Amino acid sequence: MEWHYVDGGGGQSLVLLEKESKAQGGGAGVFGLSYKLWGRVIGFVSLALLIVSMVLGGWPVRGWKPRMNARLGGLRRLKLHCGISYLILAVVMLHALLLMLKSYRAYAVGVIFSDISSRTGIGINLGDVSLILMLVVSLNGIFQRRLTRALGTRAWRLIHLYGTIAALILALIHTLMTGTTFAPIRGF
């Protein structure tokens, strides 16, 4: 690993560059699959889990929650919704970690977001914002009782619902902009 100055569009950043190794690049990583491939698979899994969690939470159809409660039971549905939601946070963080382990990755010192001068940088930043929204929605769920007392039930639900919808939309855009699976259909 070596320290280098890299031009980031808005100035230079001091970054630590790590050379590619077989385990990090295209070679064997975990169970014979590269870290990059695992990162892609886990990214898709997290997106699918987010959709399942939203359905268990009662979105997208009005009247869906009573039917889900009749089928699963209200408490079981709620526990599944919460459990999957917490699992999503762990899976998304694992997704980011595995993709940071891929070949010749630059680790910026003191910088959270990527350079926005490229399509990939914007896509990665949208994924970061999606993760932050997921954290906010999770904290909103954890502190539901306190927040409903302070803000009211309607405000709590609006934050929870629209925060989740925004996280899903940003995650979908992130997937389309940065995911190598969608490279052939990108027109920009």
Side-chain angles (χ1 to χ4, degrees):
M1 289 199 272
E2 302 171 358
W3 289 98
H4 294 277
Y5 282 100
V6 177
D7 186 18
Q12 290 192 339
S13 299
L14 183 63
V15 296
L16 183 62
L17 294 178
E18 184 178 350
K19 294 280 186 180
E20 179 179 335
S21 70
K22 277 192 170 186
Q24 292 172 330
V30 180
F31 299 118
L33 298 175
S34 70
Y35 290 125
K36 185 177 181 180
L37 183 58
W38 273 113
R40 288 172 56 194
V41 168
I42 289 173
F44 280 120
V45 167
S46 64
L47 195 57
L49 286 173
L50 182 59
I51 292 167
V52 168
S53 176
M54 291 177 76
V55 169
L56 287 170
W59 187 79
V61 181
R62 205 181 258 301
W64 183 259
K65 207 182 311 184
R67 287 188 296 214
M68 292 292 287
N69 285 346
R71 188 167 293 224
L72 295 174
L75 187 58
R76 181 181 292 156
R77 180 194 56 81
L78 184 62
K79 285 183 178 182
L80 275 170
H81 169 70
C82 292
I84 289 172
S85 298
Y86 300 139
L87 178 64
I88 291 167
L89 292 176
V91 171
V92 168
M93 288 180 201
L94 181 61
H95 163 71
L97 177 67
L98 286 172
L99 291 176
M100 277 196 270
L101 293 174
K102 74 178 189 176
S103 63
Y104 219 90
R105 178 69 181 191
Y107 300 92
V109 178
V111 178
I112 296 174
F113 293 104
S114 301
D115 178 22
I116 61 169
S117 63
S118 69
R119 175 193 46 77
T120 305
I122 293 170
I124 291 171
N125 288 341
L126 291 176
D128 295 341
V129 173
S130 178
L131 174 61
I132 291 168
L133 281 171
M134 288 181 217
L135 287 169
V136 167
V137 168
S138 294
L139 290 172
N140 183 284
I142 290 169
F143 297 111
Q144 177 183 5
R145 287 190 181 128
R146 290 182 189 169
L147 290 172
T148 51
R149 272 189 248 127
L151 303 173
T153 304
R154 182 168 169 75
W156 178 88
R157 285 183 190 218
L158 289 174
I159 292 168
H160 202 71
L161 175 65
Y162 291 119
T164 306
I165 291 170
L168 175 65
I169 290 169
L170 291 175
L172 286 169
I173 295 170
H174 163 77
T175 302
L176 293 172
M177 288 181 80
T178 61
T180 54
T181 306
F182 296 103
I185 63 171
R186 281 195 286 263
F188 51 93

